[in-house]
Amino acid sequence: ELLKSARNAGVPLSRYVMNSVFVTAVVCVANIIMSTMAAFALSKMKFKTRGLIFNINQKAMMFVPAAVLIPRYLIMNGMGILNTYWAHILPLIAMPVSLFLIKQFVDGVPDALIEAAKIDGAGQFRIWSSIVLPISKPVMATIGMFAAFGYWNDWFQASLYIQDKNLQTLQSLLNNIQKNIEYIANNPYGGLSLQQYKMGMPTESVRMAIAIVIIVPIACTYPFFQKYFISGLTIGGVKE
């Protein structure tokens, strides 16, 4: 029944699924790259403002996302990226908690290891890519799951920045269906015939099928990353 409804929809269900998969993957990868680079710079590179920058990141963790909705919307509108994939991606690629967790991990990397790489002629990028990234797999898996699960379950970004149905995500679709149901329930037969009313109301099986499509990727992914996730969560919990 879900596939039948998808075929009859103006935008195929597969488009919503692909949007969700694409945006979640890009956000996850970009978040890991930016967070690891910034954490490496703040932890192992010596410059005057690194303490100030990290303190700003710590302060940013105190603000709820709702506190920056209006300025974020105005900035994105000024950049002209509303109704584009960038509107999905840019707001979430920098997460203060990701930077905090990775920096706590990188702080534990021996300075002697970094100095030995420099003596061998390795530059900062080579040290980051060949030393920091390989030994940071547990914390990268942790922040990757935070980013992936957080955006995979998010419908608010799409509803706020995206009006084009071809760019909306699966979660946004489910939220729109729920809002339509609430509107129809609160305004029975408002200008609609009984037949139109029945056709506008998605069946319970369709809604549950969409919910299953959303849940299955998370349920299938978590067991493979569980050991990294648990070890990553304990980073910074014990200091020697």
Side-chain angles (χ1 to χ4, degrees):
E1 189 172 352
L2 174 61
L3 295 177
K4 180 180 178 180
S5 299
R7 287 194 297 267
N8 295 331
V11 179
L13 181 65
S14 59
R15 184 59 182 265
Y16 292 106
V17 175
M18 290 305 299
N19 286 342
S20 293
V21 172
F22 171 75
V23 172
T24 301
V26 172
V27 167
C28 183
V29 173
N31 180 262
I32 290 175
I33 292 175
M34 291 189 63
S35 298
T36 51
M37 282 185 168
F40 170 64
L42 293 175
S43 178
K44 299 303 180 183
M45 297 175 65
K46 309 298 182 182
F47 55 95
K48 291 182 179 180
T49 58
R50 68 173 187 167
L52 175 63
I53 294 174
F54 188 66
N55 286 334
I56 292 175
N57 182 78
Q58 298 296 88
K59 300 297 189 298
M61 294 173 61
M62 299 171 59
F63 291 92
V64 295
V68 296
L69 283 180
I70 295 177
R72 180 184 289 175
Y73 182 89
L74 293 176
I75 291 173
M76 295 178 65
N77 185 47
M79 295 174 63
I81 60 175
L82 296 179
N83 277 320
T84 67
Y85 281 114
W86 289 113
H88 284 294
I89 297 169
L90 286 182
L92 295 178
I93 60 174
M95 297 173 61
V97 66
S98 299
L99 175 56
F100 172 78
L101 287 175
I102 296 183
K103 184 182 181 300
Q104 294 296 101
F105 185 89
V106 177
D107 283 345
V109 176
D111 291 337
L113 186 61
I114 305 298
E115 295 299 325
K118 290 181 179 179
I119 293 174
D120 289 339
Q124 300 292 359
F125 182 80
R126 182 63 183 273
I127 295 173
W128 169 76
S129 60
S130 300
I131 297 178
V132 175
L133 285 185
I135 65 178
S136 301
K137 289 180 180 179
V139 69
M140 287 195 298
T142 300
I143 68 168
M145 290 181 67
F146 278 146
F149 292 176
Y151 198 85
W152 181 260
N153 293 320
D154 181 72
W155 55 266
F156 187 70
Q157 299 287 335
S159 66
L160 187 62
Y161 305 126
I162 304 296
Q163 301 299 322
D164 186 354
K165 290 186 177 181
N166 290 295
L167 298 177
Q168 291 186 341
T169 60
L170 191 62
Q171 294 74 14
S172 178
L173 171 64
L174 186 60
N175 179 65
N176 290 337
I177 290 176
Q178 184 62 35
K179 289 194 296 186
N180 291 337
I181 293 172
E182 292 176 358
Y183 174 81
I184 294 174
N186 295 328
N187 300 273
Y189 312 118
L192 300 175
S193 65
L194 180 59
Q195 185 65 25
Q196 290 173 322
Y197 177 81
K198 291 181 178 180
M199 292 179 62
M201 177 73 76
T203 63
E204 188 74 20
S205 58
V206 170
R207 302 200 302 274
M208 291 301 101
I210 295 176
I212 291 297
V213 171
I214 294 174
I215 294 171
V216 165
I218 297 177
C220 294
T221 302
Y222 180 77
F224 296 99
F225 293 92
Q226 182 179 8
K227 63 177 182 179
Y228 295 114
F229 183 73
I230 295 175
S231 60
L233 285 178
T234 62
I235 294 170
V238 177
K239 295 291 185 180
E240 296 182 359

